[in-house]
Amino acid sequence: MSPGDEAHGLFMMPGGQSSYPLSARYGAGHEDWNKGKPTPILQGPARRVLHLLPAR
């Protein structure tokens, strides 16, 4: 994915972020990965926005 082109970015992580089999989210995305169906990086509109400002 190129910076500024997130709308075209794809994501696949069949074992979850930790790859720990006992994790509740371990199987999330596995079926899509198995079928070769990529998941878009952007899941919808932002729910929160974090603005970072330099310290004064």
Side-chain angles (χ1 to χ4, degrees):
M1 173 173 64
S2 298
D5 194 26
E6 292 84 4
H8 294 105
L10 301 174
F11 178 78
M12 295 181 96
M13 188 176 291
Q17 184 177 4
S18 68
S19 296
Y20 181 59
L22 299 180
S23 169
R25 302 286 298 156
Y26 178 74
H30 184 80
E31 189 63 30
D32 287 342
W33 173 79
N34 195 30
K35 292 179 179 180
K37 178 183 170 193
T39 303
I41 290 284
L42 299 180
Q43 294 294 310
R47 293 185 301 204
R48 294 180 184 87
V49 176
L50 177 63
H51 296 277
L52 301 177
L53 303 173
R56 294 184 185 212

